[in-house]
Amino acid sequence: IQMTQSPSSLSASIGDRVTITCRASEDISEYLNWYQQKPGKAPKLLIFDASTLERGVPSRFSGSGSGTDFSLTISSLQPEDIATYYCQQFDNLYTFGQGTKVEIK
Amino acid sequence: QVQLVQSGGGVVEPGRSLRLSCEASGFSFSAFTMHWVRHNPAKGLEWVALISDDGRTTHYPDSVNGRFTISRDNTKGTKGTLYLQMNSLRPEDTAVYYCVRDDEGFDSWGQGTQVTVSS
């Protein structure tokens, strides 16, 4: 299963609403997770099962979608959100998207 | 708290072997499926191997199948060790490797260890 994220990178201002999309090459129901990775650090689980917020993750992060189309939204971008974000399907083994790098404008 | 402490890694020539280890503590190790995931800045994240909680089931992507072997030691009570034996290494295996716990997502990650395959 191929996972395609868009955009590959984005630049936004503090306080902006940011949306990242992820498309699966076939129906994966809600078998999708989202991760945040900062430079030199291990990835961090943000959202599991497409829309469930992991414990301790700020509520400005949210996930939605099912089937083949999914999105991760940051409702109000904060400086600490600068990172690369990855989607991951687990319907058939595991595949990550290519990543979306979020920068501050 | 959950701790995954990795060791191993380094620089190795193409065709050689390397073994990574991951010492787990702070949770009931034998109750969880575990994985290895690698990160290459140019390629992003790639899942490398899975092993079931009891060690009886393993899976690999085509890119490493037949060259890498995941295993685990569940005999230390609540603690445990995860291994990744990497044979016939190729330059494209160069990456930071992470051991990962699977609990409704890849919820806990080791600190990562660099593997560089180069002559």
Side-chain angles (χ1 to χ4, degrees):
Chain A
I1 299 176
Q2 304 299 317
M3 306 300 293
T4 304
Q5 289 181 230
S6 60
S8 297
S9 65
L10 66 88
S11 182
S13 299
I14 300 301
D16 281 356
R17 183 182 184 88
V18 169
T19 298
I20 298 167
T21 64
C22 178
R23 175 163 288 178
S25 60
E26 59 187 81
D27 189 332
I28 59 170
S29 185
E30 295 181 341
Y31 297 121
L32 183 109
N33 301 326
W34 288 97
Y35 299 85
Q36 174 194 65
Q37 187 177 29
K38 298 182 179 180
K41 300 293 187 182
K44 173 185 176 183
L45 177 65
L46 297 177
I47 304 277
F48 63 92
D49 294 345
S51 60
T52 303
L53 197 66
E54 173 71 346
R55 289 182 304 276
V57 174
S59 58
R60 63 181 180 273
F61 291 92
S62 64
S64 65
S66 65
T68 60
D69 293 312
F70 302 85
S71 63
L72 172 71
T73 298
I74 308 172
S75 61
S76 177
L77 187 68
Q78 300 301 304
E80 59 268 32
D81 300 336
I82 302 312
T84 300
Y85 293 83
Y86 294 92
C87 61
Q88 175 209 35
Q89 69 81 20
F90 58 100
D91 178 61
N92 183 353
L93 297 180
Y94 308 86
T95 316
F96 290 92
Q98 82 279 15
T100 296
K101 187 174 183 179
V102 174
E103 298 175 316
I104 297 293
K105 188 182 295 182
Chain B
Q1 75 279 21
V2 175
Q3 282 201 309
L4 298 170
V5 179
Q6 299 179 220
S7 59
V11 180
V12 63
E13 293 179 341
R16 303 297 289 256
S17 299
L18 208 57
R19 188 174 87 155
L20 306 182
S21 300
C22 174
E23 298 281 343
S25 61
F27 66 102
S28 184
F29 180 71
S30 62
F32 290 87
T33 293
M34 298 293 294
H35 305 266
W36 289 96
V37 174
R38 63 188 180 187
H39 178 249
N40 179 298
K43 300 180 185 178
L45 294 171
E46 182 183 15
W47 167 75
V48 169
L50 165 159
I51 188 166
S52 60
D53 52 3
D54 60 6
R56 294 184 179 185
T57 301
T58 59
H59 289 289
Y60 308 89
D62 289 345
S63 58
V64 307
N65 196 28
R67 299 188 299 121
F68 289 12
T69 302
I70 188 172
S71 61
R72 64 191 297 162
D73 179 358
N74 283 354
T75 63
K76 304 175 185 176
T78 58
K79 298 183 179 181
T81 308
L82 183 70
Y83 301 99
L84 185 67
Q85 178 67 42
M86 303 183 292
N87 298 333
S88 303
L89 282 162
R90 304 167 179 170
E92 55 264 37
D93 295 320
T94 294
V96 175
Y97 285 73
Y98 295 97
C99 67
V100 186
R101 186 181 80 164
D102 189 339
D103 182 16
E104 291 187 309
F106 290 9
D107 76 319
S108 299
W109 297 63
Q111 82 276 17
T113 186
Q114 177 70 47
V115 172
T116 302
V117 184
S118 173
S119 54

